[in-house]
Amino acid sequence: MYVQELRPVADSLGLSALVAALPLLVVLILLGGVRLKAHLAGLAGLLAASLVACLAYGMPVDQTLSSAAQGAAFGLFPILWIVVNALWVYRMTVRTRHFDILRRSFGRLSDDPRVQALVVAFCFGALLEALAGFGAPVAICSVMLVALGFDPVRAAVVALVANTAPVAFGAMATPVVTLAQVTGLPLDSVASLVGRQTPLLALVVPLVLVGLVDGRRGLRETWMPALACGVAFAAVQFAVSNYVSAQLADIGAALAGAAALIAVPHARVPAAEAVRASVLTGARSEELDERDPRREIVRAYAPYALIVTVFSIAQIPVVKDWPARATRTYDWPFLDVVGPNGLPVGGNVFTWPIVATGGTLVLLAGLCTAVVLGVHARVAVREWLATVLELRFAILTVTSVLALAYVMNLSGQAATIGHFVAAAGSGLAFLSPVLGWFGVAVSGSDTSSNALFGALQVSAARESGLSPELLAAANSSGGVLGKMISPQNLTIACAAVGLDGREGDLLRKVLPWSLGLLLIMCLIVVGQSSPVLSWMLP
């Protein structure tokens, strides 16, 4: 049996917290300072966490290795199981050219470039974030905006800023699923609170986007469709995350936002030639003028409709109970950890939701997609394997970061840091989103930030008397605003639109928006931790 200690170094909480923070410092310095590849930084951080666990905390080597193995296993299933299958569905639409049909369909929804930015970057970007995440929305939406005639820099900035509100529920809610797992909090509780924070961003971001596209004139002339889109997105994201399913939150919100844009009359009025001339400074793709058969347009939308249908059916109580019975719980081998209070920790067991997980449902929708799009079984398998190959470094990054997080959590390192940080008292509510923002800015992933800092936030909250669920949610909600300035996302945006080497230019354009929106989120969390906005909490 291994008993966690909070003050293993010279019986000092401060020194122990400093030593416990070394793995995080290694990752952050290697990523942000040395600019090492994310998967190498993750592996280096895992090694540092393991050495601290064994040498400073006295955790047996076999239990340290077992903790890392459990974290890596959770990274593979269910997290990467979701991502691989979601990206596989997208690859099949590209393979059959139905993605090009979808792009042309979006281009015909409105001639107003400001509304096109909302449809493509905000609504469709949110749908892509819901299904795949991990940089896919920025890359795909940037390319689509350039094809519509946007200047490459403007297209990249719009795509980066738009990729905020949906991030916490991205990749079938992978960030909040990870947050619930590493903190031991119920998924419904975490998702519910995140769903009462990020929708407030959704009210603001569409207005920011039309301002980025066309300045004050854009705000003056298209505030109505932008506000309608934001309100519809926010309302549905809140309702679905709180009362239906975290996995469906972004899908429902994206569809609602697009429907609101179509419904508002002003959104269908073509932009004046002066607006188009000043905004669409790039070369418009001639492919957009092609006419597609109605049958093919329906098939282009079918994959996303199938995913929504499969997940909706899975929420029916009778259907939901069946896969839940297939869930297996195991005593994880070589792991016997108790907390400082002498009670066994939750990490001693491993739950394997074989069927009742988002990845399996996406796989089922993907099989249906292959049939609808006419993808031969051999080609579908080849595309799935190609997806795994494409994500090989992302797979290594996620597994190493989660292995690091599990070693820190189970050895007691996260609890030590949490007790030390709790000295901030009520100020912790303001700093909590900043920590999540910093984690995503460096790692490029809300999932990774939640894995690194989720347990720390909960420990600090319990010590300071704040709500653990609130600060855990704040980590994820603040983290989404670091996405636009992360080196990975900036590099993806530059590569997508042919701006290689101009990451610094993009950073200067999006950093003020990232900091401004972060300040809003910090004030929201402070308000929710006090009587001012406490009525917003469940």
Side-chain angles (χ1 to χ4, degrees):
M1 179 185 295
Y2 169 69
V3 181
Q4 294 177 343
E5 287 187 63
L6 295 178
R7 304 167 183 260
V9 181
D11 198 31
S12 166
L13 184 61
L15 288 176
S16 299
L18 182 62
V19 172
L22 287 176
L24 298 177
L25 292 174
V26 167
V27 174
L28 299 178
I29 290 172
L30 291 180
L31 275 175
V34 183
R35 297 293 178 89
L36 198 64
K37 296 290 185 182
H39 61 281
L40 295 177
L43 290 171
L46 172 59
L47 176 60
S50 301
L51 290 174
V52 170
C54 294
L55 300 179
Y57 279 76
M59 191 178 198
V61 174
D62 60 340
Q63 298 215 45
T64 302
L65 295 177
S66 183
S67 301
Q70 186 180 165
F74 178 69
L76 290 172
F77 193 98
I79 292 179
L80 289 165
W81 180 237
I82 297 171
V83 176
V84 168
N85 289 326
L87 201 55
W88 172 56
V89 174
Y90 163 71
R91 284 181 65 98
M92 285 194 290
T93 66
V94 174
R95 173 89 183 199
T96 59
R97 297 191 177 278
H98 283 90
F99 182 76
D100 294 331
I101 296 172
L102 193 68
R103 183 180 64 180
R104 288 192 286 269
S105 175
F106 288 160
R108 286 191 288 270
L109 286 176
S110 174
D111 287 333
D112 191 328
R114 300 163 297 192
V115 176
Q116 288 176 345
L118 293 176
V119 171
V120 174
F122 189 70
C123 298
F124 187 60
L127 188 60
L128 290 172
E129 183 66 38
L131 301 178
F134 292 89
V138 170
I140 295 166
C141 293
S142 297
V143 170
M144 291 179 72
L145 290 173
V146 169
L148 289 169
F150 280 69
D151 171 75
V153 173
R154 199 191 311 250
V157 170
V158 168
L160 285 165
V161 174
N163 191 220
T164 48
V167 168
F169 295 105
M172 294 299 170
T174 296
V176 293
V177 169
T178 303
L179 185 60
Q181 180 71 18
V182 299
T183 59
L185 299 173
L187 174 59
D188 291 344
S189 299
V190 174
S192 175
L193 270 168
V194 174
R196 294 162 190 252
Q197 294 171 345
T198 56
L200 298 175
L201 293 176
L203 296 174
V204 179
V205 171
L207 295 169
V208 172
L209 294 180
V210 296
L212 285 171
V213 172
D214 194 29
R216 293 182 179 178
R217 179 177 59 183
L219 277 171
R220 185 174 62 252
E221 296 180 359
T222 53
W223 67 268
M224 185 183 296
L227 187 60
C229 177
V231 169
F233 187 102
V236 173
Q237 190 184 57
F238 159 74
V240 175
S241 62
N242 275 266
Y243 305 113
V244 183
S245 166
Q247 286 85 353
L248 287 175
D250 278 349
I251 295 176
L255 296 176
L261 276 175
I262 296 171
V264 175
H266 189 76
R268 295 197 296 267
V269 177
E273 286 302 317
V275 175
R276 293 182 59 80
S278 64
V279 173
L280 300 183
T281 55
R284 185 176 180 274
S285 173
E286 295 181 0
E287 287 184 13
L288 296 173
D289 297 323
E290 293 183 20
R291 291 292 171 183
D292 300 300
R294 186 179 298 276
R295 179 172 178 271
E296 293 304 311
I297 294 176
V298 172
R299 292 175 73 191
Y301 282 91
Y304 309 103
L306 284 168
I307 289 175
V308 173
T309 301
V310 169
F311 270 85
S312 299
I313 293 173
Q315 300 308 311
I316 300 173
V318 177
V319 179
K320 194 174 184 178
D321 290 343
W322 173 72
R325 287 196 292 268
T327 299
R328 296 288 181 267
T329 301
Y330 305 95
D331 289 326
W332 192 258
F334 308 110
L335 204 58
D336 185 11
V337 180
V338 297
N341 57 5
L343 299 176
V345 300
N348 292 327
V349 297
F350 183 77
T351 301
W352 187 23
I354 303 170
V355 181
T357 184
T360 302
L361 297 178
V362 176
L363 176 64
L364 178 59
L367 295 174
C368 296
T369 295
V371 174
V372 171
L373 299 185
V375 180
H376 191 278
R378 184 174 61 255
V379 176
V381 171
R382 191 183 304 134
E383 287 295 326
W384 192 90
L385 294 174
T387 303
V388 174
L389 183 63
E390 179 185 338
L391 291 173
R392 61 191 183 279
F393 293 120
I395 291 172
L396 188 54
T397 299
V398 171
T399 52
S400 61
V401 167
L402 277 161
L404 179 159
Y406 268 60
V407 170
M408 289 191 66
N409 293 343
L410 290 172
S411 65
Q413 295 173 57
T416 296
I417 300 173
H419 279 70
F420 181 75
V421 172
S426 59
L428 190 59
F430 185 88
L431 296 175
S432 186
V434 177
L435 188 59
W437 173 84
F438 183 68
V440 176
V442 173
S443 70
S445 166
D446 201 35
T447 298
S448 296
S449 179
N450 288 343
L452 289 172
F453 299 130
L456 186 158
Q457 298 266 22
V458 169
S459 295
R462 286 173 175 155
E463 286 301 304
S464 61
L466 295 171
S467 164
E469 290 84 359
L470 176 62
L471 294 201
N475 191 86
S476 193
S477 299
V480 307
L481 300 169
K483 189 94 168 176
M484 68 178 84
I485 64 168
S486 69
Q488 291 90 324
N489 253 24
L490 291 170
T491 301
I492 288 170
C494 285
V497 297
L499 295 173
D500 292 339
R502 295 186 59 183
E503 289 86 353
D505 294 340
L506 291 185
L507 177 61
R508 284 190 290 273
K509 289 182 178 295
V510 299
L511 182 59
W513 295 108
S514 178
L515 293 174
L517 292 171
L518 175 63
L519 177 60
I520 293 174
M521 181 54 64
C522 290
L523 295 175
I524 289 171
V525 175
V526 169
Q528 290 178 335
S529 69
S530 69
V532 177
L533 295 179
S534 59
W535 54 268
M536 293 180 63
L537 304 182

